[in-house]
Every structure is written in structure tokens, then in C-alpha cells.
Amino acid sequence: MTVSTEDKAADESAKKSKKLFRINVPTAFTILFFLTVIAVFATWFVPAGQYSKLAYDQEAKAFSVISPQGEVKEMPGNQETLDDLGVKIKYEQFANGAISKPISIPGTYERLNSNPAGVEKIPLSMIRGTMEAVDIMVFIFTLGGLIGVVRATGSFESGLMALTKKTKGHEFILVFAMSLFMVVGGTLCGLEEEAVAFYPIMCPIFIAMGYDTIIAVGAIFLAGSMGTTMSTVNPFSVVIASNAAGIPFTEGLWWRVAGCVVGAAVVIGYLYWYAKKIKANPEFSYTWEDHESYVKQWGMTSDEPIFFNWKRKLILVLFFIGFPIMVWGVMTQHWAFPLMASSFLTITLVIIFLALIGKDRLNEKQLVDAFSEGASSLVAVSLIIGLARGINMVLNEGYISDTILDGATHLVSGMSGPAFIIMLLLIFFVLGFVVPSSSGLAVLSMPIMAPLADSVGIPRWVIVCAYQWGQYAMLYLAPTGLVMATLQMLDMKYSHWFKFVWPMVVFVLVFGGGMLVAQTLIYGV
């Protein structure tokens, strides 16, 4: 069969057309850079204005009201002052230090003389924002280093392989265990970027069990994302968002716990349905066309001895116990990021000491390198937090943050609580594509979005829930997020993943929307 010149020309034209319309989605860093540029230019065009701010002095136990013109008025530190100012926050949250930064007072917005930012503020705000986020960054580096050291000891792999032997004939137990671990890790500390290390461990096991790589991504990425979606005490999501909203993260906790339980049940049930289908008929797999290449890449050709000895068991116990210790410290001792980081560093040092002894000991250089590599793997996450804070600095110092907030307040005035919160859910869904970092979006949006709750008479923690559920519904799909790196690692087509994951996106939006409406009806005024 010959191909005509016209057909060849048509093929070439089609290829050029595909290249022409191919969109390369920029990284979160590039997006945040352009948002910084936009923020700087916005200070030249958006009118300046500000709300009066309310600050609390722990030593004097008194409030200070700072007007837009800088005038300061001292007021008694009690609930009556808050009620008179129309601030719907309990006095105890100021007294116990849960709210330490000044908050905006509703209904006090005034126009000011413009304060446009120069071009030099673009790089300067990035540096200053990063410097301001140093406590969070150190905590993130320490957590990454801990995970790197545990991986280097072989404790993760040996523990999971030992579990595989015990689940023969009941293979889904391992999928269940891995999914539950990731859900818990996601809800407690946002265990997602670090989870990339689990694919080389779990893919050979799941392939040997007769499953496919979608099961691996589902049990690791999807389950971890569901946990993060329903974050309970995740410091990279709900804690940062709550702090930025001016509330303690414990507000709305039991709603998030209930959401996490339901979310875990749904994602594990969905994985069970899919696993049962491909066990009964392997060709049901959404990735069946690539099955042979997956087996070649990930198949286990020989059984290696597993040494899940006492030391590795102890290391895993130490690793897992760090998270409830952190939760206890934050909830009962009011730990900040430095204390959380020091608790994880202490556990890391104990694990390093254990790894230096015994027949399978590692040397000091191997462990230090493991810690460094684990910490360096989270540099991008840390820098994104700093860049996002830099954007807030530009908006605040240009006195346009409160102008945007005031405009949004007028936009939703008269809107009912349920309609308002569903609209915010969809807004955060779209923002999840633009800013895929949970912590980055939290510090970027919460200072502006959270006070809107006051204007419609709902608690600010409901806004935090809308942020979580809206953003993460998008991050199951967004090519700007972690999903593309995951699919590239496993050589999986995006279309195959989309076919599998879209029901979970619908679930999060529908279930999350229903929870938000219920919250506004119960707690709204």
C-alpha cells in the first residue's frame, strides 16, 4: 500500500497542529512568580484601603484597635469588647495564644492614599516571604530527613514484604493496609510528596499479586490525597490555613474527622471494587494495553530473603509514634513548628543510633546522606510556602489586600450561607489548578477568604473546610500537582488515570459540598 503525497502532507499538518495547540502547564514556581508580578502591578491600579486591625497583648491582657490611619486605641481584654466590635471570635482564643496575629475588624474598611510597589519588590518579596516562613521550612526539612533515614535502614521495605507473606491468599489486605497508612499519613502530616519512595517498593508486590499499577497509585497517591483532602491536624494544610484564618485549627476538627472516616471508607471500597474486577478478569484493568511493559518493568523474578528483624520493627514503631506525639504536643501543649521539628529530630537521632549497630549496620556517611536527601526532596514544597507569603506581603504593603476583601464582601452580600459556601468550594477547586501547593494556597487565600465568613454569619473554620475539599478535588487531576510526576514514574497514561479517578473527584465535590451546607445551616446565624 502506497501513501500519497497529499496524505503525507495531511499527516504532517496534523502533527504541526497538535504541537501548535499543545499547552505546557507551568510549574507552581512559575505560576507564583507571575502572581507576584501581577500583585506588584496591581498595587498601581487597585485602590488602596484597609480595615481597622485588632491585636491582643498577652502581658497587658488588653486589646489594641489600630485604625487605617495608624491611630491606636486600647480596649479591655474581654468578650464584651469583641462583641461590641462585631468580632465573632471567643475571647479565650486570644487569651490562650491560639490567635497571635492582628485580625481585620468587619465593617471598618476605609480608602487610603495609594502605595504602589516598585519592580524591585518582585525579587525582594520572594526573599522576605521565604525568610518569614523559615520555621515551617525547618519543620518540613526535618520530617523529610526522618523519612529518608527510615528508608535507608530498609525498615519500610522489609516490613511491607513481611506483611506480603502473611497475606498470601488475602492479597487485598496489603492494599487495605497501604491505603489506610496513606490516609492516616495524609490526614496527620500531608504524606504525599514523600510517598513517591513507596512506588519502587509496592509496584513489584502488587504486580506479583495479580494487580496493576493503578492499584499502586490508588493505594498510595489517591489514598494519601484523600487523607490530605480530609486533613484533621495536617500542619501543611489545615493548621496553616487555620492560622492564616485567625482561628485555632481544632475548630471544626470533629467534622474533619468524620469526613476522613467516610473518605477512607469510600476510597478503600473503590479500590476493593476495582481489585476484585481485575482479579476476576485481568483485561478489565484500565491499563491492560500496557500490562506487559509493566510486568517487565516491575515484575519480581525471584524471592529474596526478608529480614524484618527486631531493629527494623523498633525503627518503624519509633517512626509511627512520632505522629501521635506531634498531635498531642500541638493540641495540648500548643507546640509551634520549632517544637514539632525538634520532636521529629529527636526520633531521627534515636533511629540513626539504632542503624549504627548490629550486623546490618549502616555507616555514619550513609545515614547523613539519607537525611540530607530526604530533606532536600522537600525543598520545593518549602520554597512554595515562602513565595506565596511574598505575594501576601506585596498585597498587604500596597494596602490592596483589604480592598480586594472589601470588594468580595460586597459581591457576596445578600447571598445565603449555603450558596456562598458552595461558590467558595468551586472557587477553591479552580484555584487548586493554579496553585497546587496546599500550604501555598492556604497562606495566599485564607487572609482574604476567611473574613468573608463574618459577612455571611458562618464560622471561619467552614471556610477552611471549603479550601481543603475544593482544592484537593482538583489535585487528583491537576497536571500542575504531584499526579504528573507519579504517572511519569510509572509510565502510565494520563487518560488511564483520569478514567479511574474521576468518580473520586465527583465524590469529594458532592460529599464535601453537602458537609459544607450542613455546617452553614447548623452554625450559621
Side-chain angles (χ1 to χ4, degrees):
M1 180 179 179
T2 59
V3 180
S4 66
T5 303
E6 290 79 4
D7 290 337
K8 289 181 179 179
D11 289 341
E12 290 296 325
S13 177
K15 290 179 181 178
K16 290 180 180 179
S17 179
K18 287 182 180 179
K19 289 182 179 180
L20 181 63
F21 290 101
R22 182 180 297 165
I23 299 176
N24 293 320
V25 180
T27 65
F29 286 98
T30 303
I31 291 171
L32 289 174
F33 170 76
F34 281 114
L35 285 175
T36 304
V37 174
I38 292 171
V40 167
F41 279 99
T43 62
W44 288 80
F45 302 104
V46 178
Q50 199 170 36
Y51 286 92
S52 293
K53 304 298 179 183
L54 179 68
Y56 183 74
D57 188 329
Q58 285 282 353
E59 294 183 2
K61 299 188 182 303
F63 286 113
S64 297
V65 177
I66 303 97
S67 72
Q69 292 76 25
E71 299 172 353
V72 180
K73 179 182 178 181
E74 300 296 331
M75 300 187 73
N78 53 42
Q79 189 64 49
E80 292 181 3
T81 296
L82 295 173
D83 294 338
D84 291 341
L85 294 173
V87 177
K88 298 175 182 178
I89 299 176
K90 292 182 179 180
Y91 170 69
E92 289 75 16
Q93 296 180 16
F94 292 92
N96 63 21
I99 299 177
S100 58
K101 294 184 178 181
I103 66 169
S104 298
I105 302 175
T108 60
Y109 175 81
E110 294 181 27
R111 286 287 179 88
L112 298 173
N113 294 329
S114 62
N115 185 35
V119 177
E120 74 280 357
K121 283 293 182 72
I122 296 173
L124 181 60
S125 66
M126 295 178 175
I127 300 299
R128 291 177 59 205
T130 303
M131 292 172 64
E132 188 179 276
V134 67
D135 56 340
I136 303 176
M137 296 173 69
V138 171
F139 172 73
I140 293 173
F141 294 152
T142 305
L143 177 58
L146 169 60
I147 293 173
V149 169
V150 175
R151 285 183 54 207
T153 65
S155 299
F156 280 138
E157 183 172 3
S158 61
L160 291 170
M161 291 295 288
L163 184 62
T164 304
K165 279 190 171 183
K166 295 181 179 180
T167 57
K168 190 172 183 179
H170 304 280
E171 288 84 0
F172 189 76
I173 292 177
L174 184 57
V175 179
F176 173 86
M178 189 71 221
S179 301
L180 187 61
F181 168 76
M182 289 305 304
V183 169
V184 172
T187 194
L188 293 182
C189 65
L191 188 65
E192 289 182 300
E193 288 86 356
E194 305 86 349
V196 173
F198 293 136
Y199 292 112
I201 300 171
M202 298 309 301
C203 278
I205 298 173
F206 288 145
I207 292 294
M209 288 178 170
Y211 295 136
D212 61 4
T213 49
I214 278 186
I215 287 289
V217 182
I220 298 173
F221 172 77
L222 179 59
S225 295
M226 183 62 75
T228 309
T229 302
M230 306 296 176
S231 291
T232 52
V233 295
N234 174 12
F236 308 120
S237 176
V238 67
V239 174
I240 289 179
S242 297
N243 289 340
I247 59 173
F249 78 91
T250 50
E251 288 195 7
L253 175 62
W254 293 112
W255 281 88
R256 300 195 299 270
V257 170
C260 187
V261 171
V262 173
V266 168
V267 74
I268 292 173
Y270 186 51
L271 285 169
Y272 178 75
W273 168 82
Y274 182 79
K276 191 174 181 180
K277 284 285 188 179
I278 60 177
K279 273 288 189 179
N281 176 21
E283 294 187 15
F284 178 83
S285 169
Y286 295 163
T287 61
W288 179 252
E289 63 183 85
D290 300 318
H291 180 71
E292 290 184 6
S293 63
Y294 292 148
V295 172
K296 184 177 180 181
Q297 180 181 3
W298 299 107
M300 299 175 68
T301 57
S302 62
D303 294 327
E304 297 182 0
I306 301 171
F307 300 104
F308 191 39
N309 54 29
W310 68 268
K311 185 170 72 174
R312 287 173 177 159
K313 292 177 182 177
L314 180 57
I315 287 173
L316 282 184
V317 170
L318 288 170
F319 172 75
F320 286 115
I321 204 173
F323 298 102
I325 289 175
M326 180 194 72
V327 173
W328 169 83
V330 171
M331 295 186 68
T332 67
Q333 307 301 309
H334 306 296
W335 282 4
F337 284 106
L339 280 175
M340 287 188 277
S342 66
S343 69
F344 280 120
L345 182 58
T346 300
I347 293 172
T348 304
L349 293 174
V350 175
I351 291 175
I352 288 175
F353 174 77
L354 289 172
L356 289 170
I357 62 176
K359 294 181 179 179
D360 56 350
R361 62 180 176 271
L362 300 174
N363 61 48
E364 175 266 345
K365 186 178 186 305
Q366 289 174 309
L367 292 167
V368 171
D369 287 347
F371 185 90
S372 300
E373 290 172 7
S376 63
S377 68
L378 299 182
V379 168
V381 176
S382 302
L383 291 178
I384 283 174
I385 297 173
L387 294 180
R389 286 199 175 190
I391 296 172
N392 280 329
M393 284 183 174
V394 172
L395 297 176
N396 290 333
E397 293 174 3
Y399 302 124
I400 66 173
S401 293
D402 286 3
T403 299
I404 297 172
L405 172 60
D406 183 66
T409 301
H410 289 296
L411 183 65
V412 299
S413 62
M415 186 179 290
S416 66
F420 166 80
I421 201 64
I422 291 298
M423 182 63 68
L424 272 189
L425 177 72
L426 297 177
I427 289 173
F428 280 119
F429 180 71
V430 174
L431 289 176
F433 181 89
V434 179
V435 185
S437 165
S438 58
S439 51
L441 182 59
V443 298
L444 181 67
S445 63
M446 279 298 110
I448 297 174
M449 295 293 192
L452 295 179
D454 301 334
S455 66
V456 293
I458 60 176
R460 293 187 178 194
W461 61 263
V462 179
I463 308 296
V464 175
C465 290
Y467 139 80
Q468 289 184 209
W469 301 335
Q471 184 198 29
Y472 266 90
M474 170 60 75
L475 292 186
Y476 296 155
L477 301 170
T480 51
L482 184 62
V483 64
M484 294 307 293
T486 299
L487 299 183
Q488 183 177 357
M489 173 178 282
L490 301 184
D491 197 23
M492 183 187 298
K493 293 182 176 67
Y494 182 83
S495 58
H496 294 160
W497 172 246
F498 181 86
K499 183 178 180 181
F500 175 77
V501 80
W502 73 262
M504 291 294 97
V505 178
V506 173
F507 161 73
V508 171
L509 290 175
V510 173
F511 176 68
M515 291 252 285
L516 291 170
V517 170
Q519 290 166 357
T520 57
L521 293 176
I522 294 172
Y523 300 101
V525 295

